[in-house]
Amino acid sequence: EIASCLVGSEMCIRDRLEDEVKALETQVGELEQTLAETEDALSAAQEETEKYRALYEELAGEESGTP
């Protein structure tokens, strides 16, 4: 009887740990997706910044009389 209780307890612990691992894997997947989306947004923002920087430099050059 004691042996069967120990086996049952070990199974409960194993099952609980498996559930926790699955939950953590899900969270990691969600974080990876968020990171990818954030990197994409950052890249787009950097491209926009470069466009505005080039436009600013062009306009500043026109104001100073240089092409």
Side-chain angles (χ1 to χ4, degrees):
E1 187 177 324
I2 293 174
S4 68
C5 287
L6 289 174
V7 169
S9 177
E10 289 174 358
M11 291 174 68
C12 287
I13 292 169
R14 183 201 64 211
D15 292 346
R16 187 176 64 228
L17 289 176
E18 286 177 357
D19 290 345
E20 290 181 20
V21 167
K22 288 177 185 176
L24 288 172
E25 288 173 341
T26 298
Q27 289 178 338
V28 166
E30 291 170 354
L31 289 171
E32 288 174 337
Q33 180 65 32
T34 300
L35 177 59
E37 291 169 359
T38 301
E39 288 173 337
D40 290 345
L42 177 59
S43 178
Q46 289 172 328
E47 289 176 13
E48 285 295 310
T49 299
E50 288 303 316
K51 288 178 189 177
Y52 284 111
R53 179 176 290 131
L55 179 60
Y56 171 79
E57 290 173 358
E58 181 182 326
L59 293 173
E62 288 176 5
E63 286 183 7
S64 67
T66 58

